[in-house]
Amino acid sequence: MRIFIDCTHTAKHTYKNTGIHRVVRELTSELLKISSSRPDIEIVVVMFDGKFIRRVTNLNPENLSNSTKTNLYFHLLNKIKNKFHILFVKINSKVLNLIFNILPVINTLYSNDSKKNSLQFEDYTIQPEDIYIIADANWDQPKTYYTFLECLKANKTFIVFICYDLIPIKFPEFASEKFTEVFTKFYRKYSNLFDKVLCISKISVEDYKNAQKQGILPSSNPNLQVESFRLGCDYYNHDYSLNLENNDFDKNFNELLTKRYILVVGSLVPHKNIKTIIAAFDLLANSNSEEIYLLFAGNRGWHSETDALIEYNTMYGKLIHILGSVTDAQLKLLYQNCYCLVQASFYEGFGLPVVEALQYGKPVVASTGGSLPEVGGDFCLYFNPTQPTELYEALKKLLDSEIYYNQLVKRIKNEYKPFSWQESAEEFLSLLLS
């Protein structure tokens, strides 16, 4: 059996390391490992280039382990190059969409005879018994992508979609109007093509089914299967030679690692509830607690008001720091040396930082939003995401009692059972083939 994994967005943007990109890389890597010992399964990683699919040989993020001025300079140039590439892809997509709007006759290229030819690329021909997995954030693809998937459907190829969350549909106030429109349009249009939807949590399954019941998503396919699988957390098994005593990170990063700090992981977007984190930290700083830092490991620039909440705080640059996008090696060190992790999101489809922090034996203070109680179990301290005082009280509880803190750490280390990416891939594969 052949399984094609569509990793378009991650393949195009290897410099990105958001949650979805990390899931795509880890899951694909483990599936490839499994297939190497399973002669009955062949994994083919592909991307859509605006016209057709082609094979992908590298999904690894760019390596920024050496942060000398020279390397930072070249990294900056590379990011500029990638920005122009993104712009080119968007323009190309718009041109393709325009062509399909103005010249519908081009659809004749996908006649019954040409459909067979359209499913041939390099040394492969996609067969009816093959599986095609849309594993990535592909909701901004041109109309040619939909036409390609229609060809797969006509070919009776089994199409599987990984659903991470429905936040822009469920909570449109947390996303821009334009993104919400693109995201919703994708789900409404493409869902009829899916034979199976695999969500990353049970609550995401409920959200998907509820959206169908409410008529937000189509429910015309009576055979559509919607199930869930767990994500892994053990990317620390990668061969990172960097450590706290011997690494090439900049001086400021190294110095912050020696402080007692609360860690927040994820892009600075509205649904991450940064306002509540800042309000709780203000209360903490004004109390009699010992000095503690607040570090944000995630991209800014998504939402100017969210950025401003942090940057205009009087403690910004002193006790509060934005690290920006970090590599997996840097993230490993941040988890290893943090005092605790805070995940304050109003809603999450999974909550990768929660399980990653727990597998390092670190206390987690999480909101009750979405899937967080599901993935954190009874190992986390929970609070209402609309109540900053509850977050403050949970943090104060940890800081005020070293005995309580140490007992919690001991319990996590002794009782928490991390779910590996290998186990995640095996569960995913089992659902795929069932």
Side-chain angles (χ1 to χ4, degrees):
M1 175 180 291
R2 258 190 328 209
I3 301 173
F4 294 88
I5 307 179
D6 186 334
C7 304
T8 298
H9 203 270
T10 302
K12 285 182 178 178
H13 310 296
T14 55
Y15 61 93
K16 289 191 175 182
N17 203 29
T18 66
I20 291 180
H21 296 104
R22 290 170 60 213
V23 171
V24 170
R25 291 186 184 108
E26 297 294 342
L27 187 61
T28 302
S29 175
E30 290 300 330
L31 287 171
L32 285 167
K33 289 178 186 176
I34 292 172
S35 68
S36 66
S37 59
R38 290 276 303 269
D40 59 320
I41 295 175
E42 180 185 4
I43 302 291
V44 183
V45 185
V46 298
M47 65 174 287
F48 188 76
D49 62 9
K51 299 177 182 178
F52 203 66
I53 58 170
R54 57 185 171 87
R55 190 163 185 177
V56 173
T57 57
N58 180 34
L59 290 174
N60 294 326
E62 295 169 359
N63 183 11
L64 295 178
S65 61
N66 188 346
S67 54
T68 62
K69 289 184 179 180
T70 302
N71 281 339
L72 283 174
Y73 172 73
F74 281 111
H75 176 58
L76 179 60
L77 288 179
N78 201 39
K79 289 193 99 171
I80 293 172
K81 177 201 74 175
N82 283 319
K83 290 291 183 184
F84 276 106
H85 172 72
I86 294 169
L87 181 62
F88 173 77
V89 170
K90 287 182 177 179
I91 293 173
N92 190 38
S93 296
K94 288 181 179 180
V95 171
L96 287 167
N97 285 338
L98 186 61
I99 289 172
F100 270 77
N101 285 330
I102 297 175
L103 301 174
V105 70
I106 202 170
N107 287 324
T108 58
L109 294 174
Y110 293 94
S111 63
N112 290 333
D113 290 335
S114 62
K115 279 179 181 177
K116 294 180 180 178
N117 295 329
S118 69
L119 297 181
Q120 295 176 356
F121 71 104
E122 299 174 22
D123 296 327
Y124 298 96
T125 299
I126 302 178
Q127 303 293 340
E129 64 270 16
D130 292 336
I131 297 174
Y132 193 89
I133 303 170
I134 305 171
D136 219 330
N138 287 1
W139 36 78
D140 60 349
Q141 295 302 306
K143 290 183 179 179
T144 45
Y145 186 60
Y146 183 81
T147 306
F148 164 71
L149 292 178
E150 278 188 311
C151 291
L152 291 183
K153 192 73 174 176
N155 191 55
K156 300 191 183 304
T157 302
F158 197 76
I159 301 176
V160 179
F161 178 74
I162 297 180
C163 176
Y164 292 93
D165 62 62
L166 295 180
I167 291 175
I169 295 175
K170 193 177 177 71
F171 302 102
E173 64 270 25
F174 294 144
S176 70
E177 186 177 339
K178 183 178 180 181
F179 179 74
T180 299
E181 180 184 353
V182 170
F183 186 91
T184 305
K185 186 177 180 181
F186 171 88
Y187 270 87
R188 284 178 175 167
K189 183 175 182 179
Y190 283 69
S191 292
N192 279 329
L193 299 176
F194 306 152
D195 295 296
K196 179 173 285 193
V197 175
L198 293 179
C199 303
I200 59 174
S201 63
K202 293 176 182 177
I203 199 162
S204 291
V205 171
E206 292 177 17
D207 288 345
Y208 196 96
K209 290 182 177 179
N210 286 336
Q212 287 182 308
K213 290 176 183 177
Q214 295 166 12
I216 299 171
L217 298 183
S219 55
S220 57
N221 181 2
N223 298 318
L224 178 66
Q225 303 168 50
V226 184
E227 299 173 290
S228 68
F229 71 104
R230 289 177 62 187
L231 301 184
C233 62
D234 61 334
Y235 72 92
Y236 65 90
N237 282 333
H238 292 191
D239 185 20
Y240 297 135
S241 58
L242 300 170
N243 55 62
L244 187 58
E245 292 74 30
N246 179 27
N247 67 66
D248 296 320
F249 300 147
D250 63 67
K251 184 179 178 181
N252 182 56
F253 184 88
N254 287 337
E255 187 176 341
L256 289 173
L257 289 175
T258 66
K259 307 295 184 181
R260 185 168 64 162
Y261 60 88
I262 297 166
L263 180 63
V264 180
V265 177
S267 299
L268 304 182
V269 291
H271 84 270
K272 297 294 184 182
N273 198 12
I274 305 302
K275 186 176 182 179
T276 287
I277 297 174
I278 292 296
F281 191 75
D282 282 342
L283 292 171
L284 203 60
N286 292 329
S287 70
N288 296 322
S289 299
E290 295 180 36
E291 186 177 78
I292 190 163
Y293 287 67
L294 176 62
L295 305 187
F296 291 92
N299 284 320
R300 70 178 99 192
W302 292 86
H303 189 253
S304 58
E305 291 181 18
T306 300
D307 294 345
L309 280 172
I310 303 171
E311 294 167 352
Y312 291 163
N313 190 283
T314 57
M315 291 179 286
Y316 180 65
K318 300 170 186 175
L319 295 179
I320 301 176
H321 296 264
I322 301 176
L323 302 177
S325 180
V326 297
T327 64
D328 282 352
Q330 289 173 318
L331 188 57
K332 174 183 177 180
L333 289 175
L334 287 168
Y335 280 131
Q336 286 178 329
N337 294 281
C338 74
Y339 180 77
C340 69
L341 175 93
V342 167
Q343 182 84 49
S345 307
F346 286 109
Y347 204 86
E348 287 290 344
F350 186 80
L352 208 52
V354 171
V355 294
E356 290 176 341
L358 288 174
Q359 58 97 14
Y360 280 111
K362 298 296 180 176
V364 174
V365 184
S367 80
T368 54
S371 63
L372 296 178
E374 176 187 334
V375 302
D378 61 354
F379 293 97
C380 302
L381 301 178
Y382 293 101
F383 67 96
N384 184 326
T386 65
Q387 301 297 320
T389 53
E390 288 189 20
L391 173 56
Y392 159 71
E393 288 165 0
L395 291 170
K396 196 84 164 61
K397 186 176 182 180
L398 291 174
L399 289 162
D400 284 352
S401 175
E402 188 175 345
I403 293 175
Y404 174 75
Y405 178 87
N406 289 335
Q407 286 177 340
L408 181 57
V409 169
K410 183 178 179 180
R411 178 170 172 264
I412 293 170
K413 288 182 175 179
N414 289 339
E415 299 179 22
Y416 181 71
K417 307 253 184 250
F419 197 69
S420 71
W421 277 110
Q422 180 183 343
E423 291 173 303
S424 176
E426 288 171 348
E427 182 177 12
F428 180 86
L429 191 60
S430 176
L431 291 170
L432 207 61
L433 303 179
S434 64

mmCIF file of all heavy atoms in Angstrom, residues 245-281:
data_model
loop_
_atom_site.group_PDB
_atom_site.id
_atom_site.type_symbol
_atom_site.label_atom_id
_atom_site.label_comp_id
_atom_site.label_asym_id
_atom_site.label_seq_id
_atom_site.Cartn_x
_atom_site.Cartn_y
_atom_site.Cartn_z
ATOM 1 N N GLU A 245 26.053 24.388 29.008
ATOM 2 C CA GLU A 245 27.444 24.756 29.242
ATOM 3 C C GLU A 245 28.197 25.042 27.951
ATOM 4 O O GLU A 245 29.168 25.784 27.931
ATOM 5 C CB GLU A 245 28.172 23.622 29.991
ATOM 6 C CG GLU A 245 27.709 23.412 31.433
ATOM 7 C CD GLU A 245 26.359 22.737 31.531
ATOM 8 O OE1 GLU A 245 26.037 21.937 30.628
ATOM 9 O OE2 GLU A 245 25.622 23.030 32.475
ATOM 10 N N ASN A 246 27.765 24.427 26.835
ATOM 11 C CA ASN A 246 28.523 24.550 25.598
ATOM 12 C C ASN A 246 27.575 24.722 24.408
ATOM 13 O O ASN A 246 27.114 23.761 23.831
ATOM 14 C CB ASN A 246 29.390 23.303 25.394
ATOM 15 C CG ASN A 246 30.190 23.378 24.107
ATOM 16 O OD1 ASN A 246 30.518 24.455 23.622
ATOM 17 N ND2 ASN A 246 30.502 22.215 23.556
ATOM 18 N N ASN A 247 27.241 25.971 24.097
ATOM 19 C CA ASN A 247 26.401 26.210 22.931
ATOM 20 C C ASN A 247 26.761 27.539 22.284
ATOM 21 O O ASN A 247 27.500 28.339 22.849
ATOM 22 C CB ASN A 247 24.915 26.153 23.305
ATOM 23 C CG ASN A 247 24.494 27.285 24.222
ATOM 24 O OD1 ASN A 247 24.511 28.446 23.817
ATOM 25 N ND2 ASN A 247 24.115 26.963 25.449
ATOM 26 N N ASP A 248 26.250 27.744 21.119
ATOM 27 C CA ASP A 248 26.570 28.930 20.337
ATOM 28 C C ASP A 248 25.469 29.984 20.377
ATOM 29 O O ASP A 248 25.448 30.877 19.544
ATOM 30 C CB ASP A 248 26.833 28.523 18.875
ATOM 31 C CG ASP A 248 28.053 27.635 18.744
ATOM 32 O OD1 ASP A 248 29.031 27.900 19.438
ATOM 33 O OD2 ASP A 248 27.995 26.691 17.940
ATOM 34 N N PHE A 249 24.550 29.885 21.331
ATOM 35 C CA PHE A 249 23.480 30.850 21.406
ATOM 36 C C PHE A 249 24.013 32.184 21.907
ATOM 37 O O PHE A 249 25.061 32.258 22.552
ATOM 38 C CB PHE A 249 22.366 30.352 22.334
ATOM 39 C CG PHE A 249 21.739 29.059 21.882
ATOM 40 C CD1 PHE A 249 21.283 28.138 22.799
ATOM 41 C CD2 PHE A 249 21.615 28.770 20.534
ATOM 42 C CE1 PHE A 249 20.710 26.953 22.392
ATOM 43 C CE2 PHE A 249 21.039 27.585 20.106
ATOM 44 C CZ PHE A 249 20.595 26.670 21.047
ATOM 45 N N ASP A 250 23.267 33.249 21.646
ATOM 46 C CA ASP A 250 23.769 34.559 22.043
ATOM 47 C C ASP A 250 23.785 34.712 23.567
ATOM 48 O O ASP A 250 23.113 33.983 24.302
ATOM 49 C CB ASP A 250 22.953 35.672 21.379
ATOM 50 C CG ASP A 250 21.495 35.658 21.803
ATOM 51 O OD1 ASP A 250 21.221 35.936 22.980
ATOM 52 O OD2 ASP A 250 20.642 35.350 20.956
ATOM 53 N N LYS A 251 24.532 35.698 24.015
ATOM 54 C CA LYS A 251 24.778 35.903 25.442
ATOM 55 C C LYS A 251 23.488 36.143 26.210
ATOM 56 O O LYS A 251 23.294 35.620 27.317
ATOM 57 C CB LYS A 251 25.742 37.079 25.620
ATOM 58 C CG LYS A 251 26.144 37.330 27.062
ATOM 59 C CD LYS A 251 27.126 38.491 27.143
ATOM 60 C CE LYS A 251 27.498 38.772 28.598
ATOM 61 N NZ LYS A 251 28.441 39.920 28.697
ATOM 62 N N ASN A 252 22.584 36.937 25.630
ATOM 63 C CA ASN A 252 21.329 37.255 26.310
ATOM 64 C C ASN A 252 20.494 36.000 26.541
ATOM 65 O O ASN A 252 19.928 35.809 27.618
ATOM 66 C CB ASN A 252 20.537 38.271 25.486
ATOM 67 C CG ASN A 252 19.239 38.670 26.167
ATOM 68 O OD1 ASN A 252 19.231 39.134 27.301
ATOM 69 N ND2 ASN A 252 18.119 38.488 25.467
ATOM 70 N N PHE A 253 20.429 35.118 25.522
ATOM 71 C CA PHE A 253 19.674 33.865 25.647
ATOM 72 C C PHE A 253 20.271 33.002 26.756
ATOM 73 O O PHE A 253 19.557 32.479 27.612
ATOM 74 C CB PHE A 253 19.687 33.110 24.319
ATOM 75 C CG PHE A 253 18.860 31.850 24.315
ATOM 76 C CD1 PHE A 253 17.513 31.884 23.995
ATOM 77 C CD2 PHE A 253 19.430 30.624 24.645
ATOM 78 C CE1 PHE A 253 16.747 30.725 23.992
ATOM 79 C CE2 PHE A 253 18.671 29.460 24.649
ATOM 80 C CZ PHE A 253 17.322 29.515 24.321
ATOM 81 N N ASN A 254 21.585 32.864 26.762
ATOM 82 C CA ASN A 254 22.256 32.053 27.773
ATOM 83 C C ASN A 254 22.020 32.598 29.175
ATOM 84 O O ASN A 254 21.818 31.843 30.132
ATOM 85 C CB ASN A 254 23.760 32.002 27.496
ATOM 86 C CG ASN A 254 24.094 31.134 26.306
ATOM 87 O OD1 ASN A 254 23.333 30.253 25.943
ATOM 88 N ND2 ASN A 254 25.230 31.399 25.674
ATOM 89 N N GLU A 255 22.031 33.918 29.306
ATOM 90 C CA GLU A 255 21.844 34.537 30.621
ATOM 91 C C GLU A 255 20.430 34.299 31.134
ATOM 92 O O GLU A 255 20.220 34.015 32.319
ATOM 93 C CB GLU A 255 22.124 36.037 30.523
ATOM 94 C CG GLU A 255 22.111 36.733 31.876
ATOM 95 C CD GLU A 255 22.489 38.200 31.782
ATOM 96 O OE1 GLU A 255 23.093 38.603 30.766
ATOM 97 O OE2 GLU A 255 22.167 38.941 32.728
ATOM 98 N N LEU A 256 19.445 34.392 30.237
ATOM 99 C CA LEU A 256 18.061 34.165 30.646
ATOM 100 C C LEU A 256 17.838 32.730 31.115
ATOM 101 O O LEU A 256 17.007 32.473 31.996
ATOM 102 C CB LEU A 256 17.110 34.490 29.490
ATOM 103 C CG LEU A 256 16.951 35.975 29.141
ATOM 104 C CD1 LEU A 256 16.128 36.132 27.867
ATOM 105 C CD2 LEU A 256 16.313 36.729 30.292
ATOM 106 N N LEU A 257 18.579 31.791 30.536
ATOM 107 C CA LEU A 257 18.445 30.383 30.934
ATOM 108 C C LEU A 257 18.859 30.152 32.384
ATOM 109 O O LEU A 257 18.441 29.174 33.005
ATOM 110 C CB LEU A 257 19.282 29.485 30.012
ATOM 111 C CG LEU A 257 18.786 29.295 28.577
ATOM 112 C CD1 LEU A 257 19.799 28.492 27.774
ATOM 113 C CD2 LEU A 257 17.420 28.613 28.532
ATOM 114 N N THR A 258 19.666 31.030 32.915
ATOM 115 C CA THR A 258 20.129 30.875 34.305
ATOM 116 C C THR A 258 19.160 31.495 35.308
ATOM 117 O O THR A 258 19.320 31.317 36.522
ATOM 118 C CB THR A 258 21.513 31.520 34.491
ATOM 119 O OG1 THR A 258 21.398 32.943 34.319
ATOM 120 C CG2 THR A 258 22.517 30.965 33.493
ATOM 121 N N LYS A 259 18.160 32.227 34.826
ATOM 122 C CA LYS A 259 17.182 32.864 35.700
ATOM 123 C C LYS A 259 16.036 31.910 36.016
ATOM 124 O O LYS A 259 15.847 30.890 35.355
ATOM 125 C CB LYS A 259 16.612 34.125 35.033
ATOM 126 C CG LYS A 259 17.649 35.129 34.545
ATOM 127 C CD LYS A 259 18.442 35.729 35.683
ATOM 128 C CE LYS A 259 19.402 36.804 35.173
ATOM 129 N NZ LYS A 259 20.212 37.396 36.259
ATOM 130 N N ARG A 260 15.287 32.259 37.028
ATOM 131 C CA ARG A 260 14.045 31.524 37.299
ATOM 132 C C ARG A 260 12.960 32.174 36.437
ATOM 133 O O ARG A 260 12.679 33.367 36.591
ATOM 134 C CB ARG A 260 13.678 31.592 38.773
ATOM 135 C CG ARG A 260 12.462 30.739 39.120
ATOM 136 C CD ARG A 260 12.278 30.576 40.597
ATOM 137 N NE ARG A 260 11.994 31.835 41.269
ATOM 138 C CZ ARG A 260 11.449 31.929 42.491
ATOM 139 N NH1 ARG A 260 11.184 30.834 43.165
ATOM 140 N NH2 ARG A 260 11.236 33.102 43.027
ATOM 141 N N TYR A 261 12.373 31.401 35.522
ATOM 142 C CA TYR A 261 11.437 32.013 34.591
ATOM 143 C C TYR A 261 10.215 31.132 34.323
ATOM 144 O O TYR A 261 10.273 29.897 34.386
ATOM 145 C CB TYR A 261 12.122 32.358 33.263
ATOM 146 C CG TYR A 261 12.729 31.183 32.520
ATOM 147 C CD1 TYR A 261 11.972 30.422 31.623
ATOM 148 C CD2 TYR A 261 14.067 30.826 32.704
ATOM 149 C CE1 TYR A 261 12.517 29.351 30.949
ATOM 150 C CE2 TYR A 261 14.633 29.751 32.032
ATOM 151 C CZ TYR A 261 13.856 29.021 31.146
ATOM 152 O OH TYR A 261 14.416 27.951 30.479
ATOM 153 N N ILE A 262 9.126 31.830 34.027
ATOM 154 C CA ILE A 262 7.890 31.194 33.550
ATOM 155 C C ILE A 262 7.972 31.193 32.030
ATOM 156 O O ILE A 262 8.291 32.208 31.419
ATOM 157 C CB ILE A 262 6.653 31.992 34.010
ATOM 158 C CG1 ILE A 262 6.571 32.002 35.541
ATOM 159 C CG2 ILE A 262 5.375 31.407 33.400
ATOM 160 C CD1 ILE A 262 5.600 33.038 36.079
ATOM 161 N N LEU A 263 7.687 30.068 31.429
ATOM 162 C CA LEU A 263 7.806 29.928 29.977
ATOM 163 C C LEU A 263 6.430 29.903 29.316
ATOM 164 O O LEU A 263 5.511 29.222 29.789
ATOM 165 C CB LEU A 263 8.564 28.643 29.635
ATOM 166 C CG LEU A 263 8.784 28.327 28.153
ATOM 167 C CD1 LEU A 263 9.643 29.398 27.480
ATOM 168 C CD2 LEU A 263 9.438 26.944 27.992
ATOM 169 N N VAL A 264 6.305 30.650 28.216
ATOM 170 C CA VAL A 264 5.103 30.621 27.386
ATOM 171 C C VAL A 264 5.559 30.293 25.959
ATOM 172 O O VAL A 264 6.410 30.992 25.407
ATOM 173 C CB VAL A 264 4.355 31.971 27.388
ATOM 174 C CG1 VAL A 264 3.115 31.891 26.510
ATOM 175 C CG2 VAL A 264 3.981 32.365 28.814
ATOM 176 N N VAL A 265 5.027 29.224 25.383
ATOM 177 C CA VAL A 265 5.449 28.773 24.049
ATOM 178 C C VAL A 265 4.298 28.918 23.064
ATOM 179 O O VAL A 265 3.186 28.454 23.320
ATOM 180 C CB VAL A 265 5.920 27.302 24.088
ATOM 181 C CG1 VAL A 265 6.287 26.825 22.682
ATOM 182 C CG2 VAL A 265 7.104 27.142 25.028
ATOM 183 N N GLY A 266 4.577 29.562 21.938
ATOM 184 C CA GLY A 266 3.566 29.705 20.900
ATOM 185 C C GLY A 266 3.563 31.101 20.311
ATOM 186 O O GLY A 266 4.028 32.061 20.937
ATOM 187 N N SER A 267 3.063 31.217 19.095
ATOM 188 C CA SER A 267 2.974 32.515 18.436
ATOM 189 C C SER A 267 2.095 33.466 19.245
ATOM 190 O O SER A 267 1.150 33.038 19.914
ATOM 191 C CB SER A 267 2.393 32.361 17.025
ATOM 192 O OG SER A 267 3.222 31.533 16.228
ATOM 193 N N LEU A 268 2.414 34.751 19.176
ATOM 194 C CA LEU A 268 1.685 35.754 19.954
ATOM 195 C C LEU A 268 0.420 36.164 19.199
ATOM 196 O O LEU A 268 0.351 37.210 18.557
ATOM 197 C CB LEU A 268 2.585 36.958 20.214
ATOM 198 C CG LEU A 268 3.917 36.636 20.918
ATOM 199 C CD1 LEU A 268 4.712 37.895 21.164
ATOM 200 C CD2 LEU A 268 3.685 35.883 22.217
ATOM 201 N N VAL A 269 -0.571 35.304 19.298
ATOM 202 C CA VAL A 269 -1.847 35.506 18.596
ATOM 203 C C VAL A 269 -2.964 35.641 19.629
ATOM 204 O O VAL A 269 -2.819 35.207 20.779
ATOM 205 C CB VAL A 269 -2.134 34.329 17.634
ATOM 206 C CG1 VAL A 269 -1.161 34.332 16.470
ATOM 207 C CG2 VAL A 269 -2.061 32.986 18.367
ATOM 208 N N PRO A 270 -4.105 36.253 19.257
ATOM 209 C CA PRO A 270 -5.168 36.538 20.233
ATOM 210 C C PRO A 270 -5.663 35.350 21.042
ATOM 211 O O PRO A 270 -5.907 35.478 22.244
ATOM 212 C CB PRO A 270 -6.288 37.124 19.357
ATOM 213 C CG PRO A 270 -5.560 37.782 18.236
ATOM 214 C CD PRO A 270 -4.385 36.881 17.942
ATOM 215 N N HIS A 271 -5.838 34.179 20.397
ATOM 216 C CA HIS A 271 -6.423 33.071 21.158
ATOM 217 C C HIS A 271 -5.478 32.496 22.205
ATOM 218 O O HIS A 271 -5.899 31.720 23.065
ATOM 219 C CB HIS A 271 -6.928 31.964 20.213
ATOM 220 C CG HIS A 271 -5.898 30.984 19.769
ATOM 221 N ND1 HIS A 271 -5.139 31.160 18.634
ATOM 222 C CD2 HIS A 271 -5.490 29.801 20.306
ATOM 223 C CE1 HIS A 271 -4.327 30.130 18.484
ATOM 224 N NE2 HIS A 271 -4.515 29.304 19.483
ATOM 225 N N LYS A 272 -4.206 32.906 22.176
ATOM 226 C CA LYS A 272 -3.253 32.445 23.205
ATOM 227 C C LYS A 272 -3.445 33.187 24.527
ATOM 228 O O LYS A 272 -2.802 32.854 25.524
ATOM 229 C CB LYS A 272 -1.815 32.639 22.713
ATOM 230 C CG LYS A 272 -1.451 31.811 21.478
ATOM 231 C CD LYS A 272 -1.455 30.322 21.758
ATOM 232 C CE LYS A 272 -0.998 29.537 20.524
ATOM 233 N NZ LYS A 272 -1.020 28.070 20.736
ATOM 234 N N ASN A 273 -4.301 34.221 24.518
ATOM 235 C CA ASN A 273 -4.710 34.884 25.758
ATOM 236 C C ASN A 273 -3.539 35.557 26.484
ATOM 237 O O ASN A 273 -3.375 35.407 27.698
ATOM 238 C CB ASN A 273 -5.398 33.862 26.679
ATOM 239 C CG ASN A 273 -6.234 34.511 27.769
ATOM 240 O OD1 ASN A 273 -6.498 35.705 27.733
ATOM 241 N ND2 ASN A 273 -6.630 33.715 28.743
ATOM 242 N N ILE A 274 -2.743 36.301 25.750
ATOM 243 C CA ILE A 274 -1.578 36.987 26.317
ATOM 244 C C ILE A 274 -2.003 38.011 27.364
ATOM 245 O O ILE A 274 -1.297 38.242 28.354
ATOM 246 C CB ILE A 274 -0.760 37.664 25.197
ATOM 247 C CG1 ILE A 274 -0.372 36.642 24.117
ATOM 248 C CG2 ILE A 274 0.481 38.335 25.763
ATOM 249 C CD1 ILE A 274 0.426 35.463 24.606
ATOM 250 N N LYS A 275 -3.161 38.641 27.150
ATOM 251 C CA LYS A 275 -3.640 39.660 28.088
ATOM 252 C C LYS A 275 -3.763 39.119 29.505
ATOM 253 O O LYS A 275 -3.368 39.784 30.478
ATOM 254 C CB LYS A 275 -4.991 40.206 27.607
ATOM 255 C CG LYS A 275 -5.519 41.364 28.427
ATOM 256 C CD LYS A 275 -6.806 41.908 27.828
ATOM 257 C CE LYS A 275 -7.321 43.111 28.627
ATOM 258 N NZ LYS A 275 -8.568 43.667 28.028
ATOM 259 N N THR A 276 -4.306 37.905 29.633
ATOM 260 C CA THR A 276 -4.456 37.293 30.957
ATOM 261 C C THR A 276 -3.099 36.968 31.569
ATOM 262 O O THR A 276 -2.885 37.131 32.779
ATOM 263 C CB THR A 276 -5.331 36.020 30.854
ATOM 264 O OG1 THR A 276 -6.683 36.406 30.640
ATOM 265 C CG2 THR A 276 -5.247 35.181 32.120
ATOM 266 N N ILE A 277 -2.168 36.516 30.743
ATOM 267 C CA ILE A 277 -0.820 36.198 31.245
ATOM 268 C C ILE A 277 -0.145 37.453 31.792
ATOM 269 O O ILE A 277 0.431 37.433 32.897
ATOM 270 C CB ILE A 277 0.043 35.574 30.134
ATOM 271 C CG1 ILE A 277 -0.543 34.241 29.659
ATOM 272 C CG2 ILE A 277 1.477 35.359 30.623
ATOM 273 C CD1 ILE A 277 0.163 33.631 28.468
ATOM 274 N N ILE A 278 -0.217 38.546 31.045
ATOM 275 C CA ILE A 278 0.410 39.800 31.472
ATOM 276 C C ILE A 278 -0.249 40.332 32.746
ATOM 277 O O ILE A 278 0.433 40.780 33.682
ATOM 278 C CB ILE A 278 0.348 40.855 30.352
ATOM 279 C CG1 ILE A 278 1.239 40.439 29.173
ATOM 280 C CG2 ILE A 278 0.764 42.228 30.861
ATOM 281 C CD1 ILE A 278 2.720 40.375 29.498
ATOM 282 N N ALA A 279 -1.576 40.269 32.801
ATOM 283 C CA ALA A 279 -2.296 40.743 33.994
ATOM 284 C C ALA A 279 -1.911 39.939 35.225
ATOM 285 O O ALA A 279 -1.684 40.500 36.306
ATOM 286 C CB ALA A 279 -3.808 40.665 33.754
ATOM 287 N N ALA A 280 -1.817 38.617 35.075
ATOM 288 C CA ALA A 280 -1.434 37.756 36.205
ATOM 289 C C ALA A 280 0.012 38.005 36.622
ATOM 290 O O ALA A 280 0.335 38.012 37.818
ATOM 291 C CB ALA A 280 -1.628 36.290 35.824
ATOM 292 N N PHE A 281 0.885 38.225 35.627
ATOM 293 C CA PHE A 281 2.299 38.478 35.942
ATOM 294 C C PHE A 281 2.465 39.820 36.642
ATOM 295 O O PHE A 281 3.308 39.962 37.536
ATOM 296 C CB PHE A 281 3.143 38.434 34.673
ATOM 297 C CG PHE A 281 4.624 38.424 34.940
ATOM 298 C CD1 PHE A 281 5.248 37.268 35.398
ATOM 299 C CD2 PHE A 281 5.385 39.569 34.754
ATOM 300 C CE1 PHE A 281 6.612 37.245 35.658
ATOM 301 C CE2 PHE A 281 6.755 39.556 35.015
ATOM 302 C CZ PHE A 281 7.363 38.394 35.467
#
